[in-house]
Amino acid sequence: MPPPMVDQLLADTLDKAVSGQASTFGLFGPRGAGKTWWLGHAGDLAADRTMTVMRTRASSRDRELAFGALAGLLAPWAQRLDEPAWATLRPVVTFDHRRVDALEVKLTTFHFLCALAEQQPVCIILDDLHWFDAASLEVLDFASRRASADAIAFITASTGDGSMIATRTARIEPTSIPTMCRMLIASGLDDAPARRCAEAANGNPGIARALAEGLTDRQRSGSDPISVIPRPSGDLVDELQANLRSLGDIVCRSLVVAAAEHGGEIAAVRAALTTLGEPSSGLDAAESHGVIDIVGAHFGFTDPWVRTVAYHLVAPSSRRSAHRALAAWFALPEQAAQRAWHLAAATEGPSQPVAEALELVAADAARRGGVASAAITAERAAEFGVTQGDRQRNLLAALRWWIDATSAEGVRRVLRSLDPIDYDAAAAKAEATEFLDGGPAGVLWDDTITSGPWSQARSHRMAVASALERGDHRGALRLLEANRSLGEARHEYARAAAFRLAGETRRARDAATAAAALFAGSDAYVASVALLAGIDLDILQGRGGDAIAAIEATLELPYTLREQALSLGARARLQSDPTLPPASEPLAFVPRGDGPLFEVGAAIQAGVINRDPSTLLTAVELAERHALPIEAGEARLWLSELQSSTERSKTLTLCRAGLQRCGIRAWDQRLLLASPTSETTESRRKPDPGLDSLSHAEFRVAEAIARGLTNRQAAAALIISVKTVDFHLQQMYRKLGIRSRTELAVRMTNFEPGTGGIPR
């Protein structure tokens, strides 16, 4: 179950108890899945509600101790048990079972809990319920069923969903690797050992913590290497290892090979045991003892902890021998990945063959779309590189794939290992740093050198960024169509920005949605940039309220983007409240970009703040000259609010037509309020003798332009040349007495064919 749902169920259970109605809730899942953490969280939530928190936890050694779990629960209240009313429970706490009456204990425990609940609500937390002794379990089950109008909450955890003393239960699902990495990093591990522990834990945070606890200080800091499965630490580990050793040496050695084969192929394990001179009967014995399950061609450990513990039953050299034997079995071409990983686990120190094998596996994973897997493999290949050039080549490959996967964590880890030995690697480091932080790269770089792939990619990205900064959407789109070296997520964001500038908001929304999906969960700088682009499009769609909420939720935005977020918030308020005067939100008009885009924005800002119609007219002319239709439409909108009713009508008509061509409905309410009261038939279509005078070919071009097509798109749609479209446009401008595509679109929008009609 997802964490937010578990959190809500815990809160509901406690709130119900606080209101005076007993409630129960149980968590279940494999050992180490995080149940104990959730119980601790429940205790914190209960304390916040000023509840009395009672808790106990059992272990396998306590299962045969009658009333052992109950004694642990009642021990903090031992002094209260000296009172005559609760004297029956005193022998339970002191383990004087000769004087215990089971029925009396059951009834007295129930009344004692109710008495505590009368003073203030009670939260009873029971961990590892599967290890509770039968006597305690019976007493607590009785109390939970008898309580009804009592302010008591029972919250339990168990490995199974059997006797959980709960009417509502939730299964704790495996924890994702990124989540476990963050948890381990917060506990003091470096990125690389945190990822190694998280990967080896297979979704089990308890195992991840045990693996982390078993690391040396140098391993925790990333200074020393770590084995494929780090050595775990803790009481549970010692207990499990002792249990496994009791099964005999043959079983233990078989389990070591089984633990090394992560894919669970039983044939591989049996073949490796034969290669090592070991009988495969150890596997059958392990199955008979319930340690593994063999189903068809595969096997699995019945307890995820056992694999982690079993791997360390022998010396490191024996584990490497197991991996070599397994690598020998995976000999087919399609088994190259398994063979490479086993060779890596069997090898000490740099190895050119291992590095090359992992490099090929990484490239194959990337071809199949598994860029995160490819990046991990390339990082591992770099560890086995013999020369600095080999290591750098694989680190650069890992860096490219982590950027494609939008993983800021992966990019940061590679950057710490990357020490550029040439300009191309310096370009890669610059690109990665800007991907993460957005600011100056902090490395020496000569932008004139574009000989390597990273240098060329950087040059391409800077050219796209420059075109977008200027508002040159045509140039940006040409560059994007010719080269996709930005990585899929950044490519989609750049397309969204270009389409937005072009006034093609539907295509911009599609690209922004794709970028948002690819950037999901990333904390890289460019992910925040893409997030703000999506918010801007939400505002243009007329969803200012949603945009305001989204901006308020972006508390962790990089400092350099906060001004843009504040500007979007001001725009959103103007969109949500059409009665707000534009000058009341000056942040909405902070100019952005560079060159023509900045000039247009600065003119709009000056016109709105100074209430200067002539400056806004200049902004309209600039926007139309540089093909920025949204800026032109919005400049007309703010201009209309400064004009007299006689001037306003034409401005509003042009504004409405221009924004509608761009698919923008954000300012509809403001346009409605700005319309003169006499303008009741503004949108009614009327005869237009000028359009009636157009030739059939000219009218077809006019229709295409009114749909928002560019000259090139219109030419393709009508199967004519771009020069022919240009010629017809010039003829129409002369006949109709107009000067722009926007005015032509307005005429087409309001057109009602005359009696002569246009041949269709």
Side-chain angles (χ1 to χ4, degrees):
M1 179 171 289
M5 294 181 64
V6 177
D7 199 37
Q8 186 59 52
L9 287 169
L10 285 172
D12 291 346
T13 301
L14 296 172
D15 290 339
K16 194 174 179 182
V18 169
S19 68
Q21 188 176 0
S23 58
T24 60
F25 178 60
L27 297 168
F28 68 97
R31 282 192 289 185
K35 302 184 297 298
T36 298
W37 184 91
W38 280 111
L39 293 185
H41 180 59
D44 294 338
L45 293 176
D48 292 342
R49 291 163 170 76
T50 64
M51 301 177 75
T52 298
V53 179
M54 305 175 69
R55 70 178 74 198
T56 188
R57 183 179 188 182
S59 69
S60 58
R61 296 185 295 272
D62 302 330
R63 195 164 190 175
E64 302 306 320
L65 181 59
F67 296 114
L70 183 61
L73 185 70
L74 298 177
W77 282 265
Q79 291 184 345
R80 289 282 304 272
L81 302 183
D82 289 333
E83 299 173 17
W86 320 120
T88 304
L89 299 179
R90 187 67 190 174
V92 171
V93 177
T94 60
F95 295 100
D96 186 4
H97 294 168
R98 292 171 300 174
R99 300 168 50 196
V100 169
D101 182 316
L103 179 59
E104 284 295 323
V105 170
K106 188 183 296 185
L107 293 171
T108 307
T109 300
F110 169 64
H111 292 304
F112 178 72
L113 297 177
C114 291
L116 288 178
E118 287 177 1
Q119 298 172 6
Q120 67 181 43
V122 175
C123 174
I124 299 173
I125 297 176
L126 309 173
D127 199 0
D128 284 339
L129 205 64
H130 52 283
W131 292 127
F132 274 39
D133 60 278
S136 296
L137 199 58
E138 186 176 351
V139 170
L140 294 167
D141 185 51
F142 172 80
S144 69
R145 287 187 288 104
R146 293 287 296 178
S148 56
D150 302 287
I152 304 176
F154 289 85
I155 299 178
T156 68
S158 174
T159 55
D161 59 351
S163 299
M164 293 186 64
I165 311 181
T167 55
R168 287 193 301 177
T169 62
R171 177 178 174 83
I172 302 298
E173 301 295 341
T175 306
S176 69
I177 287 177
T179 299
M180 284 196 290
C181 282
R182 288 192 290 271
M183 177 187 73
L184 295 173
I185 291 169
S187 71
L189 263 68
D190 194 65
D191 282 358
R195 172 164 281 277
R196 183 64 59 83
C197 291
E199 290 170 351
N202 213 20
N204 193 312
I207 296 178
R209 283 191 291 267
L211 296 175
E213 289 170 5
L215 299 179
T216 65
D217 289 342
R218 288 183 59 81
Q219 286 176 326
R220 292 174 67 85
S221 66
S223 301
D224 283 354
I226 304 171
S227 63
V228 175
I229 302 178
R231 183 182 296 277
S233 177
D235 293 340
L236 177 59
V237 173
D238 295 340
E239 179 185 332
L240 286 173
Q241 201 162 55
N243 291 340
L244 292 177
R245 291 192 187 282
S246 70
L247 302 179
D249 290 344
I250 292 177
V251 173
C252 286
R253 289 195 292 270
S254 297
L255 289 175
V256 170
V257 180
E261 173 31 26
H262 194 272
E265 292 196 34
I266 192 67
V269 176
R270 292 192 188 278
L273 287 170
T274 301
T275 300
L276 294 168
E278 294 285 345
S280 63
S281 59
L283 287 176
D284 302 317
E287 184 181 29
S288 66
H289 286 294
V291 179
I292 63 172
D293 284 328
I294 300 175
V295 181
H298 292 83
F299 72 92
F301 285 90
T302 56
D303 185 335
W305 281 86
V306 173
R307 175 178 183 262
T308 308
V309 172
Y311 187 73
H312 293 277
L313 286 171
V314 298
S317 59
S318 297
R319 294 198 299 271
R320 286 192 285 272
S321 296
H323 282 291
R324 275 193 293 272
L326 287 165
W329 189 84
F330 289 107
L332 297 176
E334 61 269 22
Q335 296 173 324
Q338 296 99 312
R339 182 171 60 255
W341 281 109
H342 281 301
L343 285 174
T347 303
E348 298 178 74
S351 168
Q352 191 67 22
V354 172
E356 290 176 355
L358 289 171
E359 195 171 344
L360 290 172
V361 170
D364 184 59
R367 278 194 298 273
R368 290 183 283 108
V371 288
S373 177
I376 292 170
T377 308
E379 282 189 73
R380 192 80 170 113
E383 294 177 18
F384 288 95
V386 175
T387 68
Q388 191 174 359
D390 290 338
R391 290 191 292 273
Q392 177 174 280
R393 184 178 64 256
N394 282 297
L395 286 174
L396 291 180
L399 192 63
R400 181 176 73 253
W401 289 322
W402 279 131
I403 288 176
D404 288 349
T406 71
S407 171
E409 175 192 332
V411 171
R412 290 190 185 99
R413 188 171 59 250
V414 174
L415 279 182
R416 282 196 292 272
S417 303
L418 181 62
D419 186 14
I421 60 175
D422 54 35
Y423 276 114
D424 202 50
K429 194 163 187 175
E431 280 295 283
T433 304
E434 292 176 17
F435 172 85
L436 292 174
D437 304 322
V443 295
L444 293 174
W445 168 245
D446 184 349
D447 284 326
T448 64
I449 298 176
T450 58
S451 57
W454 277 96
S455 306
Q456 293 170 4
R458 178 170 172 77
S459 177
H460 168 66
R461 185 189 65 78
M462 293 175 71
V464 172
S466 177
L468 293 175
E469 283 284 296
R470 298 191 308 272
D472 180 11
H473 49 82
R474 296 190 183 95
L477 288 170
R478 278 196 300 272
L479 289 167
L480 291 168
E481 289 170 5
N483 191 319
R484 299 184 69 91
S485 64
L486 293 180
E488 196 63 27
R490 288 194 295 177
H491 185 86
E492 289 299 327
Y493 158 69
R495 288 179 71 245
F499 286 136
R500 194 271 189 205
L501 289 169
E504 298 184 46
T505 55
R506 177 173 296 179
R507 298 177 74 181
R509 286 197 302 272
D510 291 343
T513 300
L518 293 165
F519 277 122
S522 174
D523 62 347
Y525 178 87
V526 290
S528 299
V529 174
L531 171 66
L532 292 181
I535 291 174
D536 174 47
L537 290 169
D538 284 344
I539 295 170
L540 293 177
Q541 284 182 274
R543 289 162 36 196
D546 293 345
I548 291 170
I551 291 166
E552 290 173 349
T554 57
L555 301 177
E556 303 300 324
L557 274 180
Y559 177 80
T560 51
L561 294 179
R562 290 177 191 169
E563 183 181 88
Q564 184 181 345
L566 291 173
S567 180
L568 288 173
R571 278 176 60 81
R573 287 189 291 276
L574 287 176
Q575 192 280 314
S576 300
D577 185 355
T579 64
L580 274 179
S584 68
E585 294 286 353
L587 288 177
F589 303 99
V590 174
R592 60 192 176 91
D594 193 12
L597 185 60
F598 182 87
E599 290 176 22
V600 172
I604 293 175
Q605 180 189 46
V608 170
I609 302 303
N610 300 324
R611 299 182 60 80
D612 182 2
S614 63
T615 306
L616 286 170
L617 279 170
T618 300
V620 171
E621 292 172 1
L622 282 171
E624 292 194 332
R625 185 189 311 160
H626 296 292
L628 297 170
I630 295 177
E631 284 71 16
E634 291 186 352
R636 284 193 171 98
L637 172 65
W638 311 125
L639 172 63
S640 70
E641 298 194 7
L642 301 177
Q643 291 177 319
S644 64
S645 58
T646 53
E647 296 174 308
R648 191 181 308 158
S649 178
K650 181 180 179 182
T651 300
L652 287 174
T653 300
L654 292 170
C655 172
R656 185 179 290 107
L659 293 178
Q660 286 180 357
R661 282 181 63 205
C662 296
I664 294 172
R665 308 307 299 263
W667 310 111
D668 284 2
Q669 290 300 313
R670 191 172 284 270
L671 285 167
L672 186 62
L673 290 177
S675 298
T677 54
S678 60
E679 197 178 44
T680 56
T681 60
E682 175 274 325
S683 61
R684 189 173 300 161
R685 292 158 70 87
K686 305 177 286 292
D688 189 327
L691 289 175
D692 272 338
S693 68
L694 299 181
S695 69
H696 175 61
E698 290 169 343
F699 195 84
R700 290 177 65 217
V701 171
E703 285 183 317
I705 298 302
R707 293 202 307 271
L709 300 183
T710 65
N711 288 10
R712 186 174 299 278
Q713 291 168 336
L718 299 175
I719 318 178
I720 56 178
S721 70
V722 177
K723 287 185 177 180
T724 302
V725 172
D726 290 336
F727 172 77
H728 286 318
L729 276 176
Q730 296 305 317
Q731 291 295 101
M732 286 188 283
Y733 288 171
R734 181 182 57 77
K735 288 181 180 180
L736 300 175
I738 59 178
R739 294 184 301 172
S740 71
R741 302 162 69 89
T742 301
E743 290 182 88
L744 176 60
V746 172
R747 295 282 287 270
M748 292 296 293
T749 301
N750 294 330
F751 174 57
E752 178 73 24
T755 53
I758 295 293
R760 302 299 176 108

